[in-house]
Amino acid sequence: MKNSTIWENKNFKKFLALGFWIILWQILSASMAEEILIASPLSTFSRLIELIASKDYWLSIFNSFWKIFFGLFLALSLGLIFAVLAFRFDFFRTIISLPISFLKSVPVAAFVIVLLFWISSRNLSIYIGFFMGLPIIYENTYAGFFQLDKKLVEMADSFKVPFKKRLAYLYRHQLLNFFKTAIISASGLIFKAGIAAELIGLQANSIGEKLYSAKIYLDSPDLFAWIISILFFSMVFEKFLKWILR
């Protein structure tokens, strides 16, 4: 009975899965002629501990995160406003459809290169985060309007409830799940796009810059340590957003 309880435990299963991948990682590293290709788990975690103890590490984390979060905030704000306007006015929906389709189709790298013609790399990840997140927020929120309870909408029409009151007391509750899904989906894309923008634009004191430096100096443990940091903090970022939404 005790054994079955242990094997059914989710945390235990996650621990086993993590152990499996670390062992596989060690095997791959040991099979390489040079550790420069794949750093070993020991080298990587040793380097990670060194990074965590340095001020430069936390400065890079902070600089990257506040810009990524600000880009998400801008995408949320304008995406919600655009969705409301598109729902209210057919003409606005027609006007906005082309730029939204454009933002969805153009690769992140192309956006980064174009923006570097116009702006410095200092705040590049903010703009990239905004442009990548806007279509997701807009489309999910706009789609939510068409999933509204028709009976409640008809009742609001019958009593001639003003749009502002509908938005506050009817639409807000109905759209909440769509908006939450949009935020979580957009946050993952914005995080990855923001780091990519930093990497291409060589944004000073950022995670992307550290990745590029590790690549230039062929420092495999440093590269793997930063990748683990990205995975960890992206997970923290998502958990933080879910906590705020609750």
Side-chain angles (χ1 to χ4, degrees), residues 38-57:
I38 299 180
S40 68
L42 181 60
S43 299
T44 299
F45 287 108
S46 296
R47 178 56 182 153
L48 182 59
I49 292 171
E50 292 176 6
L51 288 173
I52 291 172
S54 67
K55 291 182 180 179
D56 188 53
Y57 174 83

Side-chain angles (χ1 to χ4, degrees), residues 99 102-118 124 127-128 131-132:
F102 176 76
L103 292 174
K104 286 170 58 181
S105 304
V106 177
V108 176
F111 261 118
V112 173
I113 293 170
V114 170
L115 285 175
L116 284 173
F117 277 100
W118 303 332
L124 181 63
Y127 293 97
I128 291 298
F131 287 130
M132 294 298 103

Side-chain angles (χ1 to χ4, degrees), residues 97-245:
S97 61
L98 183 60
I100 291 295
S101 298
F102 176 76
L103 292 174
K104 286 170 58 181
S105 304
V106 177
V108 176
F111 261 118
V112 173
I113 293 170
V114 170
L115 285 175
L116 284 173
F117 277 100
W118 303 332
I119 63 174
S120 68
S121 63
R122 181 180 301 174
N123 295 319
L124 181 63
S125 53
I126 296 177
Y127 293 97
I128 291 298
F130 167 69
F131 287 130
M132 294 298 103
L134 179 63
I136 299 175
I137 302 298
Y138 166 78
E139 290 189 338
N140 276 271
T141 308
Y142 179 72
F145 277 108
F146 293 93
Q147 301 298 323
L148 295 171
D149 190 325
K150 293 182 180 179
K151 292 182 179 179
L152 290 176
V153 174
E154 289 173 1
M155 183 181 70
D157 290 336
S158 299
F159 287 96
K160 297 181 180 180
V161 179
F163 182 74
K164 287 183 179 180
K165 289 189 176 180
R166 292 190 190 198
L167 193 62
Y169 300 109
L170 173 61
Y171 298 154
R172 181 168 61 91
H173 297 288
Q174 299 280 313
L175 292 172
L176 194 58
N177 287 332
F178 289 91
F179 196 55
K180 285 181 178 180
T181 302
I183 292 173
I184 298 302
S185 300
S187 65
L189 177 61
I190 289 173
F191 189 87
K192 290 183 286 188
I195 299 298
E198 293 173 350
L199 180 59
I200 298 172
L202 295 180
Q203 190 171 302
N205 298 317
S206 67
I207 296 174
E209 184 200 30
K210 301 306 179 185
L211 288 172
Y212 185 81
S213 297
K215 178 252 183 185
I216 288 294
Y217 293 106
L218 302 176
D219 191 345
S220 185
D222 196 63
L223 177 62
F224 277 66
W226 277 106
I227 290 174
I228 289 174
S229 298
I230 292 170
L231 292 172
F232 174 76
F233 284 107
S234 65
M235 182 178 67
V236 171
F237 188 56
E238 183 177 330
K239 295 286 185 183
F240 176 68
L241 287 175
K242 288 181 177 179
W243 176 76
I244 290 176
L245 292 172

Side-chain angles (χ1 to χ4, degrees), residues 75-106:
L76 288 176
S77 302
L78 284 181
L80 181 58
I81 292 171
F82 287 173
V84 172
L85 291 175
F87 177 69
R88 287 280 288 164
F89 307 106
D90 290 339
F91 178 72
F92 183 83
R93 184 176 71 251
T94 304
I95 292 294
I96 201 68
S97 61
L98 183 60
I100 291 295
S101 298
F102 176 76
L103 292 174
K104 286 170 58 181
S105 304
V106 177

